[in-house]
Amino acid sequence: DAKTTQPTSMDCAEGRAANLPCNHSTISGNEYVYWYRQIHSQGPQYIIHGLKNNETNEMASLIITEDRKSSTLILPHATLRDTAVYYCIVRLPGGGADGLTFGKGTHLIIQP
Amino acid sequence: EAGVAQSPRYKIIEKRQSVAFWCNPISGHATLYWYQQILGQGPKLLIQFQNNGVVDDSQLPKDRFSAERLKGVDSTLKIQPAKLEDSAVYLCASSLGKGLTQYFGPGTRLLVL
């Protein structure tokens, strides 16, 4: 079973910041938080990942709470092309079997 | 840099027939994964390869599914015989190594009638 909890769906107006929450209250100290998204009829696309510190790249920002029990993915200026299912995943670094465990994700709909 | 390539993109077969999917990972990626995504659900791992060896196939239905990566590059996933419940998107992903970021291909959409 997935180790994360996400809202089923969210709406956001185009041009506004989209803030997607994720709860991972049972995360262990060396597990990373990964975010992927899946646009309709495409494969999942990597967005960002982090361990403890906040991270930012050209696509998004990741804010992880100090206790690491939750995080928020921020798309700073959402466009219609950001409409997708967003998956929050926790995983261990390195090691042996490391397939990703996907939950149902959050269906983000960007409204014009 | 080219991404993960998969073919075919779509396949329709009748139950009890056989089908094969092909994946070419990103150049230099040692780890390759096959996932199954049923409509309305997130992807589920079927098998993981490290070079040409199997790391994890615990969720692969081995009575009908098989996969190989003989030369440690391309991989094929086969279903024989197919069942109606095998209708899904089959996704291939690759990474430079275990524990590193996985990059996905576009998937093969299978419909079993």
Side-chain angles (χ1 to χ4, degrees), chain B residues 32-90:
Chain B
L32 185 147
Y33 310 79
W34 284 100
Y35 291 82
Q36 179 193 57
Q37 185 173 24
I38 293 171
L39 187 65
Q41 300 180 17
K44 183 186 82 170
L45 179 72
L46 291 175
I47 189 167
Q48 175 186 349
F49 291 95
Q50 178 69 16
N51 296 309
N52 61 353
V54 175
V55 175
D56 180 11
D57 63 357
S58 58
Q59 298 187 82
L60 187 73
K62 299 180 187 64
D63 57 333
R64 298 183 301 105
F65 286 65
S66 64
E68 60 184 15
R69 194 184 184 202
L70 293 176
K71 297 183 179 179
V73 181
D74 293 6
S75 177
T76 56
L77 176 69
K78 297 179 182 178
I79 307 176
Q80 180 179 9
K83 292 185 175 181
L84 298 177
E85 58 261 35
D86 298 332
S87 294
V89 176
Y90 291 85

Side-chain angles (χ1 to χ4, degrees), chain A residues 12-108:
Chain A
C12 179
E14 188 178 19
R16 303 296 293 270
N19 296 278
L20 292 89
C22 179
N23 181 286
H24 32 80
S25 57
T26 61
I27 193 170
S28 61
N30 56 350
E31 285 184 309
Y32 282 76
V33 179
Y34 274 75
W35 284 83
Y36 281 77
R37 74 180 181 183
Q38 190 170 24
I39 295 168
H40 183 61
S41 295
Q42 297 184 21
Q45 177 189 22
Y46 165 76
I47 301 173
I48 198 167
H49 73 280
L51 182 63
K52 294 180 183 179
N53 300 321
N54 299 337
E55 302 288 344
T56 295
N57 63 18
E58 64 279 4
M59 288 183 69
S61 294
L62 174 60
I63 308 298
I64 303 174
T65 58
E66 194 169 341
D67 64 7
R68 299 205 335 115
K69 293 185 177 182
S70 65
S71 60
T72 300
L73 179 74
I74 301 172
L75 307 178
H77 305 287
T79 70
L80 298 179
R81 288 176 294 182
D82 292 322
T83 292
V85 178
Y86 287 76
Y87 296 100
C88 170
I89 300 166
V90 296
R91 67 181 298 214
L92 286 167
D98 65 345
L100 299 175
T101 300
F102 287 82
K104 293 190 176 181
T106 295
H107 188 193
L108 176 66

